[in-house]
Amino acid sequence: MTRLTPTAEMTLGPFFPREFAQGANELFSGKDSIQITGRVTELDGKPLDNVVVEIWQADAKGRYDNPDFFGWGRAATDANGVYTFRTLKPGSVAGRAPHINFLILYSGLMRQLQTTMFFENAGDPVLDLVRHRERLVARREGTVYRFDVRLRGEGETPFFDD
């Protein structure tokens, strides 16, 4: 049996217990709810297990300050790299197209990755600056919006600096 030696990337924290994200992926469960789902993959297309995905968004009227809608959630990917959120579709915020902000956290990843999911390929000051803007637009399947995140390589998701 060949024994593999862990690399520095594999041994650097933070390390997230699976319970870290349990129960925080349902932001809204009313009749107008939608589902956001996708896969998080590595350079070779391999799915990543236990990646923590956080989202924050405005309410249906484009407000971040609604006391009845917190607008924040957290989920962890499963062994197939899949995450899921139940939420509502946000409204437009001051000249911006409806969108959801994403934060990706993973053991061995030395920084947080931030990106934004849009519901359509619409005019938006942020989306207009992105070279591969289609990678930030979710694919709609009824009330499900699919947004896959590729950390590196061909088809990499555009990420934003702080």
Side-chain angles (χ1 to χ4, degrees):
M1 171 189 240
T2 304
R3 188 169 174 103
L4 300 176
T5 304
T7 65
E9 282 184 341
M10 299 164 86
T11 59
L12 290 174
F15 297 102
F16 303 104
R18 195 160 295 282
E19 299 80 26
F20 185 66
Q22 282 183 342
N25 65 334
E26 188 169 300
L27 286 70
F28 181 77
S29 61
K31 69 176 182 68
D32 295 326
S33 68
I34 61 170
Q35 182 177 319
I36 308 292
T37 191
R39 286 181 78 219
V40 179
T41 57
E42 185 53 89
L43 173 69
D44 59 1
K46 176 185 159 201
L48 292 171
D49 185 20
N50 204 31
V51 171
V52 175
V53 179
E54 291 185 353
I55 63 170
W56 66 99
Q57 67 173 91
D59 69 8
K61 294 181 180 176
R63 292 180 44 203
Y64 284 101
D65 62 348
N66 181 342
D68 297 320
F69 179 72
F70 191 48
W72 174 89
R74 174 186 290 155
T77 59
D78 63 16
N80 295 314
V82 176
Y83 69 87
T84 303
F85 290 96
R86 172 117 351 244
T87 188
L88 54 78
K89 187 173 178 183
S92 297
V93 178
R96 301 285 315 274
H99 64 279
I100 295 180
N101 300 294
F102 277 68
L103 182 71
I104 312 296
L105 305 160
Y106 185 60
S107 297
L109 192 63
M110 298 309 298
R111 62 186 175 99
Q112 302 172 7
L113 298 175
Q114 298 176 32
T115 192
T116 304
M117 181 198 91
F118 291 87
F119 290 86
E120 57 186 272
N121 197 348
D124 181 275
V126 172
L127 193 56
D128 291 343
L129 295 174
V130 176
R131 184 171 169 205
H132 296 287
R133 64 187 288 145
E134 71 282 355
R135 296 180 189 165
L136 296 180
V137 179
R139 292 189 320 270
R140 184 176 181 183
E141 301 162 357
T143 59
V144 176
Y145 290 85
R146 182 170 184 86
F147 184 65
D148 294 329
V149 176
R150 182 91 175 228
L151 297 187
R152 295 187 295 169
E154 184 68 30
E156 177 180 322
T157 300
F159 297 105
F160 304 101
D161 292 330
D162 296 7

